[in-house]
């Protein structure tokens, strides 16, 4: 059993925080679950912006179920603060809010256009349904006394085309 614990102690890699701060990382290190040893650049940014003791205090203030999210938020805020020291992540938030407003306006415009096109379609359908089909099918009134005198000398041999739609 002593050999197993010795093997576990050798395989335990120090977390990024302990590695950067050059201190011994024990099994109950509060930062180890959130800053693994192979992700030292994440902790370096957080340490540069907030400081190690403040990071530990902030993570301890959060419930254990939310600590991973808090660590991710600290990394995100530190990265944004390094990129933009004045506004930090608020610049990204403002840009996203502006984009949301523009997309809402575009959506409303599109909805209005769709409504307009639907109304035009309804109007066209109403016009088509109200048309008297008999007038379209029979342009000559059969009740009138209209007649053509047939003359054999004027007989033409050509195909009859009709563009009426039935």
């Amino acid at each position: 059993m002593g050999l197993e614990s010795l093997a576990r102690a050798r395989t335990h890699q120090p977390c990024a925080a302990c590695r950067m701060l050059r201190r011994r990382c024990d099994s109950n290190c509060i930062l180890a679950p959130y800053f693994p040893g192979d992700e030292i650049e994440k902790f370096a940014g957080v340490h540069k912006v907030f400081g190690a003791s403040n990071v530990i205090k902030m993570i301890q203030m959060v419930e254990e179920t939310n600590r991973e999210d808090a660590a991710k938020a600290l990394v995100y805020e530190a990265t944004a603060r390094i990129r933009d020291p004045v506004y930090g992540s608020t610049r990204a938030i403002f840009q996203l809010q502006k984009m949301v407003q523009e997309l809402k306006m575009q959506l409303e415009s599109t909805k209005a256009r769709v409504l307009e096109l639907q109304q035009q379609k309804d109007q066209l359908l109403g016009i088509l349904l109200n048309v008297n089909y008999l007038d379209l099918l029979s342009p000559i009134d059969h009740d009138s006394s209209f007649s053509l005198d047939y003359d054999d000398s004027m007989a033409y041999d050509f195909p009859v085309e009709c563009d009426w739609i039935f």
Side-chain angles (χ1 to χ4, degrees):
M1 187 130 133
L3 198 56
E4 268 186 314
S5 63
L6 183 62
R8 266 192 253 142
R10 286 185 185 165
T11 60
H12 176 72
Q13 295 291 322
C15 69
C18 293
R19 184 179 280 180
M20 187 172 175
L21 299 173
R22 297 179 185 201
R23 63 182 186 192
R24 185 171 185 272
C25 187
D26 55 2
S27 60
N28 61 355
C29 176
I30 193 165
L31 299 175
Y34 316 112
F35 300 103
D38 58 342
E39 298 177 0
I40 198 160
E41 65 280 347
K42 285 184 180 179
F43 182 76
V46 171
H47 175 61
K48 183 177 181 179
V49 173
F50 299 107
S53 62
N54 288 333
V55 171
I56 292 171
K57 289 176 189 175
M58 286 187 268
I59 288 181
Q60 285 176 338
M61 289 173 48
V62 178
E63 295 176 14
E64 279 194 48
T65 56
N66 297 330
R67 286 184 180 175
E68 185 175 350
D69 293 333
K72 288 178 183 178
L74 288 171
V75 169
Y76 180 80
E77 178 62 35
T79 305
R81 188 61 64 177
I82 289 170
R83 253 190 257 134
D84 186 354
V86 175
Y87 292 108
S89 63
T90 56
R91 181 178 302 258
I93 292 168
F94 288 142
Q95 287 174 341
L96 290 172
Q97 287 175 340
K98 182 180 177 186
M99 226 190 294
V100 166
Q101 290 301 321
E102 290 171 357
L103 289 172
K104 281 182 181 179
M105 289 177 8
Q106 185 179 358
L107 179 63
E108 290 302 317
S109 171
T110 304
K111 283 181 179 180
R113 180 69 178 141
V114 166
L115 184 62
E116 180 182 321
L117 290 173
Q118 284 176 339
Q119 289 173 347
Q120 286 179 359
K121 181 190 80 160
D122 292 342
Q123 287 176 348
L124 289 173
L125 285 175
I127 291 170
L128 287 174
L129 292 175
N130 289 333
V131 171
N132 186 351
Y133 288 109
L134 292 177
D135 287 343
L136 287 176
L137 295 177
S138 177
I140 300 174
D141 188 11
H142 295 291
D143 295 333
S144 68
S145 60
F146 180 77
S147 67
L148 290 175
D149 294 330
Y150 182 73
D151 185 9
D152 283 337
S153 65
M154 297 193 58
Y156 296 104
D157 190 21
F158 58 87
V160 177
E161 290 186 20
C162 177
D163 48 291
W164 295 332
I165 300 173
F166 296 100

